[in-house]
Amino acid sequence: MAGAAKTESAFLRDLLNRNARNSDRARRIAGGLSSAQMIWQPAPTAWSVGHCLEHLRISALLYFEPMDIGLARARAANLTAPPDHTPRHTLMGRMLIWAISTKTKKRTKNPKKITPLEFNPETILQEFLETQNRLAQVIASADGLNLEKARMRS
């Protein structure tokens, strides 16, 4: 795995490790693909590997600013938590986790703002990995904060 940032929080370390594994998986799947392979769609309405990477990338980009603001407010309000604290998810958080889980069989329509329209097959993997690195920075920056009390607007 790529070098993940260090945190005192076991919860955040787990998130960082998952993030690193996702990056490694993307490299294994897409690293050796040609542009033609990156844009190949198994069916006209199916997404290519590049579409999937772009969808994940633009989904994450939408949340960076709200997460940065929420974490800055938590820091300013001194909302701290011990390293062994594992935050509980809100009802909306649990619903979102369920909705995007790979175990969920129910298909939902993708919101337009996170539907990939165009991407560069030559650069999409690197762009995705840069977004993953930014996500790791956000996760690491939450170390020491009480994430149950921190609020993020999306």
Side-chain angles (χ1 to χ4, degrees):
M1 278 179 277
K6 303 290 183 224
T7 67
E8 290 188 36
S9 165
F11 174 77
L12 294 177
R13 268 197 314 275
D14 180 58
L15 291 180
L16 287 167
N17 287 333
R18 289 173 189 235
N19 184 61
R21 284 194 307 268
N22 288 337
S23 295
D24 290 344
R25 185 170 185 221
R27 281 187 202 91
R28 280 194 313 273
I29 291 170
L33 297 182
S34 67
S35 290
Q37 291 170 316
M38 189 68 81
I39 63 173
W40 178 80
Q41 295 172 253
T45 59
W47 286 2
S48 66
V49 170
H51 283 114
C52 294
L53 292 173
E54 178 66 356
H55 164 72
L56 294 170
R57 190 183 80 77
I58 60 180
S59 296
L61 290 174
L62 286 175
Y63 289 98
F64 287 149
E65 183 178 2
M67 286 189 293
D68 287 339
I69 292 169
L71 294 174
R73 286 181 180 153
R75 237 175 260 106
N78 201 29
L79 300 177
T80 61
D84 62 347
H85 178 71
T86 299
R88 291 171 289 166
H89 297 293
T90 63
L91 174 62
M92 288 303 293
R94 288 189 305 271
M95 289 172 62
L96 177 62
I97 291 166
W98 174 83
I100 64 173
S101 169
T102 56
K103 297 173 188 164
T104 303
K105 302 289 186 220
K106 183 178 171 81
R107 304 288 291 186
T108 59
K109 188 168 174 70
N110 198 57
K112 285 185 182 181
K113 67 182 177 180
I114 58 172
T115 299
L117 299 175
E118 295 181 13
F119 63 90
N120 182 336
E122 298 289 330
T123 60
I124 186 57
L125 176 59
Q126 186 57 41
E127 292 168 5
F128 170 79
L129 294 172
E130 288 168 6
T131 303
Q132 289 290 96
N133 289 337
R134 173 73 173 97
L135 180 57
Q137 292 170 355
V138 172
I139 293 168
S141 76
D143 200 30
L145 296 176
N146 185 327
L147 299 179
E148 285 181 24
K149 293 183 179 177
R151 292 291 173 244
M152 178 187 90
R153 292 191 177 106
S154 59

